[in-house]
Amino acid sequence: RHYRFASTSSCYTTKFSYRQYLVSDLSNANLIDTSVSVYGWLQHRRKKLFGVLRDHSGLIQFILPISMKEQRTILEKTPFESCIHVKGILKKRPERDINTDMTLGHLEIHVTDYKVINACLPELPVNITKYHESHEITRLKYRYLDFRRDVMQERIRFRSSFIAKVREFLLKHSFVDIETPSLFRRTPGGAREFIVPTHLNEGGLFYALAQSPQQFKQLLMVGGFDRYFQIAKCFRDETGRPDRQPEFTQIDLELSFVSRENIFSLVEQLVVACWPEKLEKVSFPRLTFAEAMSRYGTDKPDTRFGLEIEHSSEQLSITSPIPINNANDLIDGDNDIKYDANNRKFLLNKTNNEQECLIKMGKFRLNLADVLEKHYGIELRKRRQWNFLWIIDFPLFTPMEDDRTKFESTHHPFTAPINEHVSLLSSKKDWPHITGQHYDLVLNGFEVAGGSIRIYDSSIQRFVLNDVLQLPIEHLEHLLQALEYGAPPHGGIALGLDRLLALVLETEHIRDVIAFPKTGNGKDLMAQAPSLVEQSELDYYFLQINRKHS
Amino acid sequence: RHYRFASTSSCYTTKFSYRQYLVSDLSNANLIDTSVSVYGWLQHRRKKLFGVLRDHSGLIQFILPISMKEQRTILEKTPFESCIHVKGILKKRPERDINTDMTLGHLEIHVTDYKVINACLPELPVNITKYHESHEITRLKYRYLDFRRDVMQERIRFRSSFIAKVREFLLKHSFVDIETPSLFRRTPGGAREFIVPTHLNEGGLFYALAQSPQQFKQLLMVGGFDRYFQIAKCFRDETGRPDRQPEFTQIDLELSFVSRENIFSLVEQLVVACWPEKLEKVSFPRLTFAEAMSRYGTDKPDTRFGLEIEHSSEQLSITSPIPINNANDLIDGDNDIKYDANNRKFLLNKTNNEQECLIKMGKFRLNLADVLEKHYGIELRKRRQWNFLWIIDFPLFTPMEDDRTKFESTHHPFTAPINEHVSLLSSKKDWPHITGQHYDLVLNGFEVAGGSIRIYDSSIQRFVLNDVLQLPIEHLEHLLQALEYGAPPHGGIALGLDRLLALVLETEHIRDVIAFPKTGNGKDLMAQAPSLVEQSELDYYFLQINRKHS
């Protein structure tokens, strides 16, 4: 368990409190046969006799002697999860009574004082014991009770210590921790940003909640800060994307006078320094975007297993290691993929849009892996196996889906082309062939970081925004201007903290590593946010609801 | 200077970069007569001969030999503040040429390669040298250039290291760093909160930007986290309060099983551990709210000087240490305060509302102090003198100004009454006489922290919200419910980080210690936020502008 404190640090755990000991402190052999006092929650109780007190550090049994009649009656009526105070003599249990399932199963408190500090309602909506997990909707509604479960204590405490290690590493390497604003203005060409109305100018003026500190960190480089980091809260209005959150956290970095190689080296050492296990044997191979697409049909391949896409002149195929019985179930709903039982091959005829075929096979590859693991008992992905991978050499621009003569940034508009390709900007037909200095870090099939070396030449940046991407440049005039004042070459990266923690802690949903997450459609089930506001408040911002454009 | 790195750590300062040395690294005597390469900005230049390169760590002079004709011409034309690269042999200067104003004034680089990486526009809107400071409006508009000034590098880097010390202290004492959401729902009875429209339910549903993590940290205590901290971004819509920011940062703390004494001890040790100077002789005296008002006419007295308010049966007075010549100028616009030249006393007749009289005298006391310092050369307040003060025993409720039969919280609705006064809640006439477990930390006349021991009994909390404060309780149902599930006794505090840093760094405005601040009326002068949004975006949120209620 990550979160249990060593008892040697007990002087710190109870300083600044009137509690004498945490439960874990009681493991100190010097305390046996002395009077101890602990505070916590009533986890179990047997008749009037025994109780188990829990705090975040552990469990301890306590016994009420027959003489304490009144307090035994109180114990019998104390609801589980009430906040209680127990004082008594710490004793070794008789050999025959030792509970080997409990860390402190060899100890018990012979109570001299038992007090209910704050009684709990008798019916608990959330199961606190670790054996059963309540439905997630209930857990989110009663998050404060969900926190009392061991696994949630562990996750949230691990998150704190992981972030502390990240900070320690970066501060040691001369990074400066700089807070940037959340209330900002719209950045064109990115995700949808929340808007925040203001009272200024009789209405109509809005902040946008910053979707990332991208512009600020570049401006900090122009300002000579050289090495910036921030554990940054970011906001995106992505209603309806189930594993996204309207606010999320990234480890945000930017450095001046760096190459891609410098960033790779930095991130690799940062990850190794902060990982809970030693990552000595782990490597960080690189794959070009083109190769990733060709072999895995995705730009974030899970390389813990093979099942790579094979190419022939007419077809793409994936070979199953063993015969598949109900192949139709597996390719259910996709009439394009055929199964050749003789060769154990799943086949797809190439079409004009080979990219789409590859993506289809990439998705199929993951389904096949699931089926092989679940129904055929073939272990493709081991627990605590970490396959990192850098994806490099992305195209700088991607043709837009609805009009392929127009382009959007594959990464974002501030990514620089590789030096050898700068000259290709002058000819529109070359735009799709420009390679960008963008890089993603992939872990076990998830993108956990993305970054790039940035454009620091104002005229190139202006050309990319104006001529290639055709974005409304007036929103970015300040950044273009800043580049004209001796901006240094710079680059950076952002690591998705929530996803990284979900992977490290082997939980499927990022909601499990966020203290107060929202549901997939952005609702806080505990406080019932978002909620209606009064008309007077809308009036203050010169707003009214208008559904006619819905 | 706080921000200069010791050269011993140079291995870290240039790792993960293609730059070989920071300027401060060149102080290493082993480098003399070797080839060195530095990157930075052109700070000075004399003809074609000399230049001074600056990075955040210092300044170094470089000399172009006569043989480098082409590069000398380039240097002559390089605008100040261009980003440059200098390579050459590091030499000791001849004794007669040593510049004692520069840390590395005994060194110079004999250039073998000079390159302009990114030229700067020839006209600089902001003065980078420390001798003159540009107008704040210009500094905010070109914040990225303002950052290049020594003093701004120092402030922002100091902020990073100060926060790092705060974290180190709290993590050592078993606090858990927990991020809480910014997108939340309205909290009744507090400051005005920004609202954030959502697309859900065809409009009408809004988040509120959390004005503080108050509710979340209390819910974390209910969840058994015991010790929480966060360097928390907070949002308040306080248009037009000149020294406020719409977003600001607080060091936010909460602990279970604590008394006021525990919190005092924690904060005092935290401040001492993080202060840039040793605070050995500094004490943290306590003053009740009543006594602070009586002696200083404010709940945040500057105790670096006396000039205390004297009370007689009819009058309040303050005695000047020396005769004041133009007393009328000092009491300008206030006909109530009279000057008794014989006794050097400023007098105010008591009225029915003694509180108002005290506040008036409290403000006058500060004006008198300014005048005595500015015009009479009497030093009342020394530089780097730190007068901390706990203000305690606030009334729990304050009568509302417009209807004195109604009450609002002096602190906030979650503050507990002292134990001895809980019973007074049952009788309305006793409400004004209930003392709350609220405490403020004052430093040199500024409130730098505020907190309280909280109500953990659900029925008391419900009574206070419903009966005393008459607040719309439905916004807080989740918190009331949480208290019913065995909530532990708890309390906490929040330190205003921006104000604390402004005091430590001896600057008047919190804007000077915030990387990207907004003006007093909430404008980002650099990016021109807030700004107009397109109608399509308002449509997405089912909103339209309506000025008829303006």
Side-chain angles (χ1 to χ4, degrees):
Chain A
R1 293 206 177 166
H2 301 288
Y3 70 85
R4 294 220 182 272
F5 298 108
S7 57
T8 50
S9 66
S10 65
C11 55
Y12 290 123
T13 61
T14 53
K15 205 177 170 186
F16 313 129
S17 166
Y18 52 70
R19 88 200 313 187
Q20 187 188 18
Y21 294 113
L22 282 182
V23 168
S24 61
D25 297 332
L26 303 181
S27 66
N28 182 340
N30 294 330
L31 296 180
I32 288 171
D33 295 325
T34 68
S35 176
V36 299
S37 145
V38 286
Y39 288 83
W41 288 267
L42 184 65
Q43 168 122 344
H44 292 302
R45 143 168 69 68
R46 254 173 293 158
K47 299 178 185 168
K48 322 175 166 196
L49 301 170
F50 298 90
V52 173
L53 177 145
R54 184 197 70 241
D55 68 19
H56 67 81
S57 75
L59 302 169
I60 186 77
Q61 178 167 288
F62 59 91
I63 299 177
L64 267 64
I66 296 173
S67 58
M68 297 180 72
K69 276 203 177 147
E70 199 182 327
Q71 291 182 303
R72 285 172 72 135
T73 313
I74 294 172
L75 173 64
E76 197 179 16
K77 290 179 184 161
T78 311
F80 293 127
E81 292 303 321
S82 296
C83 181
I84 57 171
H85 173 51
V86 169
K87 196 175 170 182
I89 309 297
L90 185 67
K91 291 280 185 188
K92 275 194 176 174
R93 289 201 209 178
E95 202 68 45
R96 65 176 187 282
D97 290 346
I98 290 179
N99 181 347
T100 52
D101 290 342
M102 273 168 71
T103 309
L104 298 186
H106 60 299
L107 298 173
E108 60 194 12
I109 297 174
H110 291 204
V111 174
T112 55
D113 193 20
Y114 171 81
K115 209 173 278 170
V116 178
I117 307 281
N118 202 3
C120 185
L121 288 179
E123 293 290 329
L124 282 172
V126 170
N127 200 333
I128 311 286
T129 66
K130 57 189 162 189
Y131 309 111
H132 305 89
E133 184 159 284
S134 304
H135 192 284
E136 200 194 10
I137 288 182
T138 314
R139 288 176 49 215
L140 290 175
K141 180 163 183 192
Y142 299 93
R143 194 59 158 183
Y144 44 88
L145 291 176
D146 195 37
F147 286 146
R148 293 194 191 167
R149 296 164 59 229
D150 274 6
V151 65
M152 285 306 295
Q153 285 281 329
E154 180 168 0
R155 286 171 183 158
I156 302 300
R157 286 172 188 270
F158 178 81
R159 184 177 177 118
S160 171
S161 66
F162 185 86
I163 293 177
K165 278 190 193 166
V166 169
R167 290 180 185 282
E168 188 189 341
F169 178 92
L170 293 171
L171 288 167
K172 191 174 87 176
H173 288 95
S174 306
F175 282 76
V176 188
D177 183 1
I178 303 178
E179 298 160 75
T180 59
S182 296
L183 297 171
F184 194 45
R185 74 177 284 164
R186 176 111 181 76
T187 305
R192 181 179 289 278
E193 290 161 326
F194 287 107
I195 56 173
V196 181
T198 72
H199 180 69
L200 293 168
N201 275 26
E202 304 225 325
L205 294 180
F206 293 76
Y207 297 114
L209 288 179
Q211 62 176 290
S212 90
Q214 183 62 37
Q215 291 185 48
F216 295 112
K217 64 181 182 173
Q218 293 195 239
L219 293 164
L220 288 168
M221 295 304 112
V222 179
F225 275 106
D226 289 22
R227 294 184 175 202
Y228 142 92
F229 85 99
Q230 184 180 195
I231 310 296
K233 177 75 71 75
C234 305
F235 299 87
R236 290 182 199 170
D237 187 359
E238 302 189 307
T239 317
R241 300 180 74 169
D243 204 33
R244 301 290 183 96
Q245 289 283 315
E247 54 188 307
F248 57 95
T249 306
Q250 62 189 36
I251 304 167
D252 196 45
L253 305 171
E254 195 82 6
L255 301 83
S256 293
F257 308 112
V258 285
S259 65
R260 282 183 286 181
E261 290 300 327
N262 294 138
I263 306 266
F264 295 158
S265 159
L266 165 66
V267 173
E268 290 169 16
Q269 290 184 42
L270 172 66
V271 165
V272 168
C274 302
W275 218 252
E277 298 120 310
K278 289 206 171 176
L279 290 184
E280 281 156 351
K281 288 177 189 159
V282 164
S283 64
F284 293 81
R286 298 171 196 179
L287 212 55
T288 65
F289 171 75
E291 201 179 344
M293 288 305 298
S294 165
R295 288 168 58 187
Y296 302 101
T298 174
D299 61 356
K300 38 179 190 282
D302 187 343
T303 57
R304 288 176 296 176
F305 61 94
L307 302 179
E308 290 188 22
I309 299 170
E310 301 142 40
H311 294 244
S312 72
S313 54
E314 308 269 296
Q315 290 177 316
L316 301 176
S317 61
I318 291 179
T319 308
S320 170
I322 55 164
I324 299 294
N325 296 325
N326 300 306
N328 284 335
D329 293 353
L330 182 57
I331 53 183
D332 181 39
D334 192 331
N335 299 320
D336 297 338
I337 298 178
K338 311 286 180 202
Y339 184 53
D340 168 3
N342 291 333
N343 296 303
R344 307 190 316 273
K345 270 187 196 298
F346 291 89
L347 297 157
L348 177 66
N349 287 329
K350 284 186 190 174
T351 63
N352 275 345
N353 194 330
E354 191 172 337
Q355 195 87 342
E356 274 177 21
C357 296
L358 285 167
I359 290 170
K360 193 173 271 187
M361 287 304 266
K363 286 179 183 161
F364 174 76
R365 175 179 172 263
L366 295 177
N367 291 341
L368 178 60
D370 284 345
V371 166
L372 288 170
E373 288 196 325
K374 271 186 211 152
H375 301 308
Y376 294 85
I378 297 178
E379 191 192 44
L380 296 172
R381 295 166 286 201
K382 291 199 190 70
R383 285 197 60 190
R384 308 208 76 70
Q385 177 188 350
W386 309 115
N387 278 42
F388 290 96
L389 186 67
W390 286 108
I391 306 293
I392 56 171
D393 291 352
F394 285 82
L396 187 59
F397 307 116
T398 305
M400 282 183 158
E401 271 185 28
D402 48 356
D403 178 356
R404 298 188 68 83
T405 67
K406 290 186 174 168
F407 293 90
E408 56 192 352
S409 295
T410 311
H411 182 219
H412 64 46
F414 314 113
T415 298
I418 59 173
N419 293 336
E420 306 87 298
H421 284 186
V422 173
S423 59
L424 300 185
L425 280 169
S426 56
S427 146
K428 183 168 179 174
K429 72 170 176 16
D430 290 329
W431 290 352
H433 310 300
I434 298 176
T435 299
Q437 296 204 53
H438 165 41
Y439 31 80
D440 278 352
L441 182 65
V442 172
L443 171 58
N444 294 356
F446 288 91
E447 182 197 320
V448 291
S452 65
I453 302 299
R454 325 297 183 187
I455 298 168
Y456 65 95
D457 179 301
S458 178
S459 60
I460 295 178
Q461 183 67 77
R462 204 174 279 274
F463 183 84
V464 165
L465 288 168
N466 224 356
D467 296 65
V468 183
L469 303 172
Q470 297 176 26
L471 290 172
I473 211 163
E474 70 274 14
H475 291 287
L476 290 165
E477 206 48 65
H478 53 284
L479 185 69
L480 289 163
Q481 201 167 39
L483 296 182
E484 289 171 349
Y485 288 104
H490 60 286
I493 194 162
L495 292 86
L497 180 64
D498 305 308
R499 172 54 62 198
L500 204 57
L501 287 167
L503 286 165
V504 176
L505 292 171
E506 298 184 290
T507 178
E508 197 182 337
H509 296 294
I510 59 171
R511 291 189 290 277
D512 280 337
V513 298
I514 297 172
F516 296 97
K518 297 192 174 60
T519 62
N521 55 5
K523 288 187 180 164
D524 177 332
L525 297 180
M526 184 183 66
Q528 300 297 325
S531 61
L532 298 168
V533 301
E534 280 166 41
Q535 186 57 44
S536 62
E537 220 161 337
L538 294 180
D539 290 344
Y540 180 79
Y541 293 114
F542 309 98
L543 287 176
Q544 72 178 43
I545 309 295
N546 175 9
R547 293 203 170 83
K548 75 170 178 247
H549 296 277
S550 66
Chain B
R1 294 205 177 166
H2 301 288
Y3 70 84
R4 295 222 182 272
F5 298 108
S7 57
T8 50
S9 67
S10 65
C11 55
Y12 290 122
T13 60
T14 53
K15 206 177 170 187
F16 313 129
S17 167
Y18 52 70
R19 86 199 315 185
Q20 188 189 18
Y21 294 114
L22 283 182
V23 167
S24 61
D25 297 334
L26 304 180
S27 66
N28 182 339
N30 294 330
L31 295 180
I32 288 170
D33 295 326
T34 68
S35 176
V36 298
S37 145
V38 286
Y39 288 83
W41 288 268
L42 184 66
Q43 168 122 342
H44 292 304
R45 146 169 67 66
R46 255 172 291 156
K47 299 178 185 167
K48 322 176 165 197
L49 300 171
F50 297 90
V52 173
L53 177 145
R54 183 196 70 242
D55 67 20
H56 67 81
S57 75
L59 302 169
I60 185 78
Q61 177 167 291
F62 58 91
I63 299 176
L64 267 64
I66 296 173
S67 59
M68 296 179 73
K69 276 203 178 148
E70 200 181 326
Q71 291 182 304
R72 286 172 73 135
T73 313
I74 294 172
L75 173 63
E76 198 180 14
K77 291 180 184 162
T78 311
F80 292 129
E81 292 304 319
S82 296
C83 181
I84 57 171
H85 173 49
V86 168
K87 197 174 168 182
I89 310 297
L90 185 67
K91 292 279 185 192
K92 275 195 177 174
R93 289 201 209 177
E95 203 69 44
R96 65 177 186 283
D97 291 347
I98 290 178
N99 180 346
T100 52
D101 290 341
M102 274 168 71
T103 309
L104 299 186
H106 60 299
L107 297 173
E108 61 194 12
I109 297 175
H110 290 204
V111 175
T112 56
D113 194 19
Y114 170 80
K115 210 173 276 168
V116 178
I117 307 281
N118 202 2
C120 186
L121 287 180
E123 293 291 329
L124 281 172
V126 170
N127 200 333
I128 311 287
T129 65
K130 57 190 162 189
Y131 309 110
H132 305 89
E133 184 159 283
S134 304
H135 192 284
E136 200 194 10
I137 289 182
T138 315
R139 289 175 49 213
L140 290 175
K141 180 162 183 195
Y142 299 94
R143 194 59 159 182
Y144 44 88
L145 292 177
D146 195 37
F147 286 146
R148 292 192 191 168
R149 296 163 61 229
D150 273 7
V151 65
M152 285 305 294
Q153 285 281 328
E154 179 168 2
R155 286 170 184 160
I156 302 299
R157 286 172 189 269
F158 179 81
R159 184 177 176 118
S160 171
S161 66
F162 185 85
I163 293 177
K165 279 190 194 167
V166 170
R167 290 179 185 283
E168 188 190 342
F169 178 92
L170 293 171
L171 288 168
K172 191 174 87 175
H173 288 95
S174 307
F175 282 77
V176 188
D177 183 1
I178 303 179
E179 298 160 73
T180 59
S182 296
L183 297 171
F184 194 45
R185 74 177 283 164
R186 177 110 180 78
T187 304
R192 181 179 289 277
E193 291 160 325
F194 287 108
I195 57 172
V196 181
T198 72
H199 180 69
L200 293 168
N201 275 26
E202 306 225 325
L205 294 180
F206 293 75
Y207 297 115
L209 289 179
Q211 63 176 288
S212 90
Q214 182 62 36
Q215 290 185 50
F216 295 112
K217 64 181 182 173
Q218 293 194 242
L219 293 164
L220 287 168
M221 295 305 112
V222 179
F225 276 106
D226 289 21
R227 295 183 174 200
Y228 142 92
F229 86 99
Q230 185 181 194
I231 311 296
K233 177 76 71 76
C234 304
F235 299 87
R236 289 182 200 169
D237 187 358
E238 300 187 307
T239 317
R241 300 180 73 170
D243 203 35
R244 301 291 181 95
Q245 288 283 315
E247 53 188 308
F248 57 96
T249 307
Q250 62 189 35
I251 303 168
D252 196 45
L253 305 171
E254 195 82 5
L255 301 84
S256 293
F257 308 112
V258 285
S259 65
R260 282 183 286 181
E261 289 300 327
N262 295 139
I263 306 266
F264 295 158
S265 160
L266 165 66
V267 173
E268 290 168 17
Q269 291 185 41
L270 172 66
V271 165
V272 169
C274 303
W275 218 252
E277 306 108 315
K278 289 208 170 176
L279 289 184
E280 281 157 353
K281 288 180 191 157
V282 164
S283 65
F284 292 80
R286 298 172 196 178
L287 212 55
T288 64
F289 170 76
E291 201 179 342
M293 288 305 298
S294 164
R295 289 168 56 188
Y296 302 101
T298 174
D299 60 357
K300 37 180 192 282
D302 186 344
T303 57
R304 288 176 296 177
F305 61 94
L307 303 179
E308 291 188 23
I309 300 170
E310 301 142 41
H311 293 244
S312 72
S313 54
E314 308 267 298
Q315 289 177 316
L316 302 176
S317 61
I318 291 179
T319 308
S320 170
I322 56 165
I324 298 294
N325 296 326
N326 300 306
N328 283 336
D329 293 354
L330 182 58
I331 53 183
D332 182 38
D334 193 330
N335 298 320
D336 297 337
I337 298 179
K338 310 286 180 205
Y339 184 52
D340 167 3
N342 291 333
N343 296 301
R344 307 190 316 274
K345 270 187 197 298
F346 291 89
L347 297 157
L348 178 67
N349 286 329
K350 283 187 192 175
T351 63
N352 275 343
N353 195 330
E354 191 172 337
Q355 195 87 342
E356 274 177 20
C357 295
L358 285 167
I359 290 170
K360 192 173 271 187
M361 286 304 265
K363 286 179 183 161
F364 173 76
R365 175 178 172 264
L366 295 177
N367 291 342
L368 178 59
D370 284 345
V371 166
L372 288 170
E373 288 196 323
K374 271 185 211 151
H375 302 309
Y376 295 83
I378 297 179
E379 191 192 42
L380 295 172
R381 294 165 287 200
K382 290 199 189 71
R383 284 198 62 191
R384 307 208 77 71
Q385 177 189 352
W386 309 112
N387 278 42
F388 290 95
L389 186 67
W390 286 107
I391 306 294
I392 56 172
D393 291 353
F394 285 82
L396 187 60
F397 308 116
T398 305
M400 283 182 157
E401 271 185 28
D402 48 355
D403 178 357
R404 297 187 68 83
T405 67
K406 289 185 176 169
F407 293 90
E408 56 192 353
S409 295
T410 310
H411 181 220
H412 64 47
F414 314 113
T415 298
I418 59 171
N419 293 336
E420 305 87 298
H421 285 185
V422 172
S423 59
L424 300 185
L425 281 169
S426 57
S427 146
K428 183 169 178 174
K429 72 168 176 17
D430 290 329
W431 290 351
H433 311 298
I434 298 175
T435 299
Q437 296 203 53
H438 165 42
Y439 32 80
D440 277 352
L441 183 65
V442 172
L443 171 58
N444 294 355
F446 288 92
E447 182 197 320
V448 293
S452 66
I453 303 298
R454 326 297 183 187
I455 298 169
Y456 65 95
D457 179 302
S458 178
S459 60
I460 295 179
Q461 183 68 76
R462 204 174 280 274
F463 183 85
V464 165
L465 288 168
N466 225 355
D467 295 65
V468 183
L469 303 172
Q470 298 177 25
L471 289 171
I473 210 162
E474 70 274 15
H475 291 287
L476 289 165
E477 206 49 64
H478 53 284
L479 185 69
L480 289 163
Q481 201 167 37
L483 296 183
E484 289 172 348
Y485 287 105
H490 60 286
I493 195 163
L495 292 86
L497 180 64
D498 305 309
R499 172 53 62 198
L500 204 56
L501 287 167
L503 286 165
V504 176
L505 292 171
E506 297 184 291
T507 178
E508 197 183 337
H509 296 295
I510 59 170
R511 292 189 291 275
D512 280 336
V513 298
I514 297 173
F516 296 96
K518 298 192 173 60
T519 62
N521 56 3
K523 288 188 179 163
D524 177 331
L525 297 180
M526 183 183 65
Q528 300 296 325
S531 60
L532 297 169
V533 301
E534 281 167 39
Q535 185 57 45
S536 63
E537 221 161 336
L538 294 181
D539 290 346
Y540 181 79
Y541 293 114
F542 309 97
L543 287 177
Q544 72 178 43
I545 309 294
N546 174 7
R547 293 203 170 83
K548 74 169 179 250
H549 295 280
S550 67

